[in-house]
Amino acid sequence: MSAPVLTGKWNYPTTIWSGPGRIAELPQACRSLGMKKPLLITDQGLAGSAMVKACIERNAAAGLPTGLFAGVKGNPTGANVEAGVAAYKAGGHDGVIAFGGGSGIDAAKAVALMAGQTRPLWDFEDVGDNSDRVNVAGMAPVVAVPTTSGTGSEVGRASVITNEDSHEKKIIFHPRMLPALVIADPELTVGLPPHITAATGVDAFVHCFEAYCAPGFHPMADGIALEGMRLIKQYLPRAYRDGTDIEARSRMLAAASMGAVAFQKGLGGVHALAHPIGAVYDTHHGLTNAVLLPYLMRHNRAAIAERMRLLAQVLDLPQQTFEAVFDWVLAFRKELGIPNSLADIRVPVDRAAEIGRMAEQDPSAGGNPIPVNAAALEAVFRKAVAGDLA
């Protein structure tokens, strides 16, 4: 019998102002971090939204002139970050408001990182000791304002940015990329359409699930992941059916943040595949994760079956088995309108070997419960395209 693992390294998140209407406190949030002229960074879809306009007007009325940069794609690119940094410097800004879903917040955190760096963005990829290269004094302070309940990027220490030259998603990391303050106002999420509510919500579930199944000793991450999955089971269908359900929206915001906190422990094959699929085919990250989840569950069954007993209890399932959790996941996805296969979201099989190789190199692959290589990940990808859950 091997000796138990008794050592670990645990880091937990940041200040969160949670509750309906708390976006009204944005000026105080900016001032608390020393900002006098912030730049609000968001994605293209939110550029002209009423809530972005209201934030800028609210700050202006409080004596905080606020710029807007909305040149961020659904899968943010290095060029988006460069343009954001140029806007930040040209406007003489002194802080960042990271506003939106995972794409807007990821790009904003990367802009805040790069505002005071001399090296190129890719020099800070999450590999080895690259984060030691960061000039911490040059980083801009960040207030994060999530408008979806999925990635949990508002409590994350990294950004996922696509390198358009290599068609790879890169994880840019530094501990100080964690926003200093988060405003989690569920009223900002009520306008999310049902299909985005579902995709982002199941994304949060996948974060919790992969973190819970990742090898290693991290009981705080496991506990948060389990409670996150319980909240998602209870409240995501409510938010999906009625977008104005503030209680459900608030619980989903919390669960999304919990997922990102939990995955400090690690992720796995779902994310390892979703990252190259998103980079190559420009798919929605949360939806890609939602489609892939049961295929990786099947692949990892031998390593995770025992863990499913406790998860089944937390989810209040009638049987405490792998199959009970697996069947529930399939039913849950169906209830939320999640497609069954990658082909259903227009992902072809023609570059399967390339996707497998890229997935093997993704940092998330190291957290898979069963060690995976390019061939194994290619095989899972092929099954997910075909809808083969046998």
Side-chain angles (χ1 to χ4, degrees):
M1 182 176 178
S2 61
V5 178
L6 300 177
T7 59
K9 183 177 181 180
W10 304 331
N11 296 281
Y12 273 76
T14 190
T15 301
I16 301 173
W17 295 355
S18 173
R22 297 209 68 172
I23 191 61
E25 300 173 59
L26 180 60
Q28 297 96 298
C30 292
R31 282 206 174 92
S32 73
L33 300 182
M35 297 183 197
K36 296 180 180 178
K37 193 179 181 184
L39 177 65
L40 190 153
I41 298 177
T42 192
D43 61 74
Q44 296 165 345
L46 289 175
S49 67
M51 54 186 170
V52 166
K53 182 180 178 181
C55 286
I56 293 173
E57 290 177 348
R58 184 180 293 114
N59 271 11
L64 288 168
T66 300
L68 173 65
F69 176 76
V72 178
K73 296 174 60 177
N75 286 302
T77 66
N80 295 161
V81 175
E82 289 177 8
V85 171
Y88 183 90
K89 292 179 177 178
H93 298 289
D94 57 8
V96 167
I97 301 167
F99 194 99
S103 57
I105 294 178
D106 272 13
K109 292 192 303 183
V111 169
L113 166 70
M114 295 303 297
Q117 309 304 319
T118 56
R119 289 175 173 268
L121 177 68
W122 312 120
D123 279 7
F124 307 117
E125 183 183 359
D126 188 16
V127 175
D129 296 327
N130 281 357
S131 63
D132 292 345
R133 298 169 167 177
V134 171
N135 171 18
V136 176
M139 297 175 69
V142 177
V143 173
V145 183
T147 62
T148 67
S149 302
T151 67
S153 181
E154 66 275 6
V155 295
R157 303 168 299 161
S159 295
V160 180
I161 307 295
T162 299
N163 183 327
E164 290 184 298
D165 293 333
S166 64
H167 299 289
E168 294 175 291
K169 284 194 174 185
K170 300 289 189 179
I171 299 175
I172 308 301
F173 170 83
H174 190 275
R176 294 287 186 90
M177 288 177 73
L178 176 70
L181 199 154
V182 177
I183 297 178
D185 185 341
E187 291 180 351
L188 300 179
T189 69
V190 298
L192 278 177
H195 72 284
I196 299 296
T197 297
T200 55
V202 179
D203 186 27
F205 184 89
V206 173
H207 292 159
C208 292
F209 185 90
E210 287 210 292
Y212 175 63
C213 294
F217 178 65
H218 202 321
M220 289 186 286
D222 287 348
I224 288 174
L226 286 165
E227 175 63 3
M229 287 186 278
R230 188 192 71 81
L231 287 172
I232 294 165
K233 181 202 175 192
Q234 182 172 352
Y235 291 104
L236 179 53
R238 280 176 49 177
Y240 177 72
R241 291 190 299 266
D242 177 8
T244 65
D245 185 335
I246 289 294
E247 181 186 20
R249 290 294 195 185
S250 70
R251 300 301 184 264
M252 283 304 302
L253 266 179
S257 293
M258 292 164 75
V261 171
F263 74 57
Q264 291 188 30
K265 182 187 173 196
L267 286 166
V270 176
H271 278 79
L273 280 167
H275 287 151
I277 291 167
V280 172
Y281 298 108
D282 201 26
T283 57
H284 183 278
H285 174 71
L287 182 59
T288 309
N289 278 339
V291 171
L292 284 168
L293 175 59
Y295 298 93
L296 271 300
M297 289 179 69
R298 273 279 184 238
H299 181 80
N300 292 326
R301 176 175 180 163
I304 67 174
E306 184 61 31
R307 306 216 71 164
M308 294 302 98
R309 296 159 73 86
L310 177 56
L311 178 55
Q313 291 181 42
V314 170
L315 297 176
D316 196 26
L317 302 182
Q319 293 182 310
Q320 294 164 16
T321 63
F322 171 88
E323 287 298 336
V325 176
F326 183 81
D327 290 345
W328 174 81
V329 165
L330 294 183
F332 193 61
R333 290 195 320 160
K334 185 174 182 180
E335 178 184 2
L336 296 167
I338 301 296
N340 187 55
S341 73
L342 289 175
D344 292 333
I345 60 171
R346 299 180 181 179
V347 174
V349 77
D350 60 334
R351 296 170 70 174
E354 180 183 359
I355 294 293
R357 289 193 299 272
M358 293 169 73
E360 180 184 37
Q361 296 302 314
D362 191 274
S364 300
N368 199 66
I370 294 175
V372 285
N373 57 23
L377 290 162
E378 177 187 346
V380 174
F381 173 76
R382 288 181 177 277
K383 287 190 173 187
V385 173
D388 179 6
L389 280 166

